[in-house]
Amino acid sequence: MRHGQEFRFTRYAMGIAEREGRHDAILVPEGALIEVMGGPFDGSRLMEVRFKGEIILMFTDDMKTHTERLKVETA
């Protein structure tokens, strides 16, 4: 996974949003579209994604197992 790639969730997953200085757990539903914003892009750590215009944190493992890529880069 790299910065700017877009994905669709194939099942729900939990994310973490910072709202009003607090960290809130949110449910990202099946079918949700997200864009990768920042890594790490391997391992089981948290990565930044854009979801509905908001930057949230998602587990890398969930990104690998619960998403499908939307765009294929061309050379």
Side-chain angles (χ1 to χ4, degrees):
M1 292 182 188
R2 295 189 304 191
H3 182 279
Q5 290 179 327
E6 296 177 334
F7 294 84
R8 175 181 290 120
F9 273 88
T10 57
R11 59 178 285 191
Y12 74 89
M14 295 302 295
I16 301 171
E18 186 174 337
R19 296 177 176 159
E20 298 177 12
R22 296 179 40 175
H23 289 100
D24 292 331
I26 62 169
L27 182 66
V28 179
E30 179 180 341
L33 303 177
I34 56 96
E35 177 185 0
V36 173
M37 301 306 293
F41 302 113
D42 55 1
S44 60
R45 300 165 88 172
L46 296 169
M47 58 190 301
E48 293 180 332
V49 302
R50 184 185 318 271
F51 170 62
K52 291 187 174 180
E54 180 177 27
I55 302 298
I56 65 170
L57 298 173
M58 300 289 304
F59 285 102
T60 304
D61 283 346
D62 287 344
M63 293 292 296
K64 289 180 181 177
T65 60
H66 300 338
T67 63
E68 60 187 8
R69 188 154 167 220
L70 295 181
K71 291 184 181 178
V72 177
E73 295 176 10
T74 57

